[in-house]
Amino acid sequence: MKYSTLPHTDIKVSDICLGTMTWGRQNTEAEGHQQMDYALDQGVNFFDTAELYPVPAMKELYAVTEEIIGKWFKKTGNRNKIVLASKIAGRGDFTKFIRTTGFKKESIIEAVEGSLRRLQTDYIDVYQLHWPERKTNFFGQRGYQHDAADYWEDNIHQVLETLRDLIEQGKIKHVGLSNETPWGTMRFLEESKVHSSLPRMITVQNPYSLLNRLYEVGMSEISHRENIGLLPYSPLGFGVLSGKYLGGKQPKNARVTLFPNYNRYSNPVAVAATQKYYDLAQAHDLSLAQMSLAFVNSRPFVTSNIIGATSMEQLKENIASIDVELSEEVLKGIEKIHNEMPNPGP
């Protein structure tokens, strides 16, 4: 395994982060525990979860994933071996069953206390805002579409004050963003610069893959210049970049098969791009999954690549991508395809 340091900390995290969003829906508790056992044995010391998991979200399964992780901590005593990240759900129609969602003080406190209880831990290493309260960065939407009728009260200072209080209480260690825009990221960073007592966002968790490199437009410069690390999610585009859906296949129990509305990487252009990436990988004796993950692993603005799997076979292949070095010829081939068919999966 390879390791990086979380920005502005002395915490070493594996360059592969174990994602958990299928546990409790596509994966059983026993399978989740098996994945954590294997990942830790391979040197993966960074786990990412959220109060909303498993997804797709539903009231009956709210926060089951955190409970599965908590039971593993209790059973194994491995909490001190893991850097743990979780998230508070933002405002949204599909999260109204949780509580009055959003990032008001009482909501953040309630969310943190609930996560700590379910995770059976005294602290969370990186606590993230799952998505903006503002109407922006919706899944599948290209670009920002301003709605003059949308009123958003600028509460960023208060959000950071609440997070600071929780840090002082020892309940969280550091804070991060997720599904955030360049404007939102800089707004949080500037607030903590002007008010030095407020905590600084150290990471941002956004989608990034061969089919969605929009992070490179605006956000990657912020990562470099402000030292805020990307924790990319969906590096295989809901499994599309494994190649298992090519040729119109619908594998049993696969994510897009089970949840056809998860189709942002399944449009005709994305399918055509995936085929080109598959052909490139085959020409260089690589699996498409490992080529796709190795590309993300190699990006200089990436701190840790969040992989997920529903089978042990997938998990082993995904973790092993850390040992794959892409040749200049492969990288040039990737850029050629990207220039021809850029970002087909928004």
Side-chain angles (χ1 to χ4, degrees):
M1 184 50 60
K2 299 174 184 176
Y3 298 87
S4 298
T5 304
L6 283 176
H8 305 279
T9 79
D10 58 1
I11 300 173
K12 295 289 185 183
V13 293
S14 49
D15 287 1
I16 296 291
C17 175
L18 181 62
T20 64
M21 71 177 184
T22 61
W23 302 352
R25 186 150 189 183
Q26 286 179 264
N27 288 104
T28 64
E29 178 180 312
E31 289 169 340
H33 287 193
Q34 185 183 22
Q35 287 194 26
M36 287 184 278
D37 288 337
Y38 180 80
L40 182 59
D41 193 50
Q42 297 302 304
V44 175
N45 74 337
F46 194 17
F47 294 177
D48 177 74
T49 191
E51 67 166 336
L52 193 66
Y53 295 169
V55 292
M58 57 189 299
K59 183 177 181 179
E60 295 77 10
L61 295 177
Y62 166 60
V64 166
T65 304
E66 288 188 328
E67 293 175 355
I68 289 172
I69 297 170
K71 291 175 182 177
W72 183 79
F73 284 150
K74 183 176 182 180
K75 179 178 74 172
T76 64
N78 283 335
R79 174 65 185 95
N80 64 343
K81 298 179 181 179
I82 302 301
V83 179
L84 179 64
S86 193
K87 314 178 200 70
I88 176 176
R91 205 173 43 157
D93 289 338
F94 62 96
T95 63
K96 287 181 179 177
F97 63 83
I98 298 177
R99 61 175 171 274
T100 303
T101 51
F103 304 143
K104 293 187 181 299
K105 180 176 182 178
E106 57 271 22
S107 295
I108 296 174
I109 293 171
E110 180 183 347
V112 169
E113 295 286 359
S115 289
L116 291 174
R117 182 177 63 255
R118 291 184 293 267
L119 291 163
Q120 301 195 47
T121 184
D122 295 327
Y123 66 97
I124 296 167
D125 295 283
V126 184
Y127 196 64
Q128 303 153 103
L129 308 180
H130 209 154
W131 57 84
E133 291 182 289
R134 313 179 314 278
K135 288 187 177 180
T136 186
N137 241 20
F138 298 114
F139 292 152
Q141 174 180 302
R142 290 183 182 274
Y144 173 64
Q145 298 175 12
H146 185 63
D147 180 0
D150 175 38
Y151 173 74
W152 169 72
E153 181 181 359
D154 189 339
N155 63 343
I156 287 176
H157 187 94
Q158 184 185 58
V159 169
L160 290 173
E161 281 186 326
T162 305
L163 294 171
R164 177 199 61 200
D165 293 346
L166 289 162
I167 290 172
E168 291 175 350
Q169 294 166 27
K171 294 178 179 178
I172 59 178
K173 301 295 184 182
H174 302 281
V175 290
L177 299 165
S178 182
N179 295 305
E180 195 42 282
T181 65
W183 182 87
T185 302
M186 288 304 301
R187 181 70 186 82
F188 272 98
L189 292 176
E190 288 302 310
E191 194 70 23
S192 59
K193 285 180 184 179
V194 172
H195 304 279
S196 59
S197 67
L198 299 179
R200 188 188 199 284
M201 295 296 178
I202 64 168
T203 56
V204 58
Q205 186 176 146
N206 280 18
Y208 183 75
S209 70
L210 289 177
L211 297 176
N212 183 350
R213 292 171 58 178
L214 291 172
Y215 193 87
E216 296 173 9
V217 183
M219 286 296 293
S220 63
E221 183 177 11
I222 294 173
S223 278
H224 285 296
R225 296 192 184 277
E226 300 293 333
N227 192 21
I228 181 168
L230 172 63
L231 306 178
Y233 73 83
S234 288
L236 290 179
F238 299 152
V240 168
L241 285 167
S242 69
K244 62 186 175 185
Y245 300 106
L246 286 174
K249 295 187 182 73
Q250 291 187 309
K252 186 179 179 181
N253 296 325
R255 188 159 197 79
V256 177
T257 304
L258 291 173
F259 313 114
N261 59 314
Y262 278 53
N263 59 4
R264 65 191 293 194
Y265 302 109
S266 302
N267 63 73
V269 180
V271 171
T274 300
Q275 183 67 58
K276 286 180 176 290
Y277 286 123
Y278 176 83
D279 293 342
L280 175 65
Q282 290 290 293
H284 292 274
D285 297 319
L286 295 166
S287 77
L288 176 56
Q290 289 204 332
M291 184 185 81
S292 301
L293 292 172
F295 175 79
V296 175
N297 295 341
S298 70
R299 300 301 89 187
F301 45 81
V302 169
T303 295
S304 186
N305 187 5
I306 304 175
I307 57 98
T310 52
S311 73
M312 287 302 297
E313 181 182 5
Q314 292 170 348
L315 182 67
K316 291 175 181 179
E317 180 180 26
N318 292 352
I319 291 176
S321 71
I322 198 64
D323 297 318
V324 176
E325 297 286 340
L326 300 181
S327 68
E328 282 299 314
E329 188 176 359
V330 171
L331 291 171
K332 287 179 181 178
I334 287 173
E335 290 306 310
K336 182 175 185 295
I337 297 168
H338 177 63
N339 288 334
E340 293 171 355
M341 313 174 83
N343 303 314

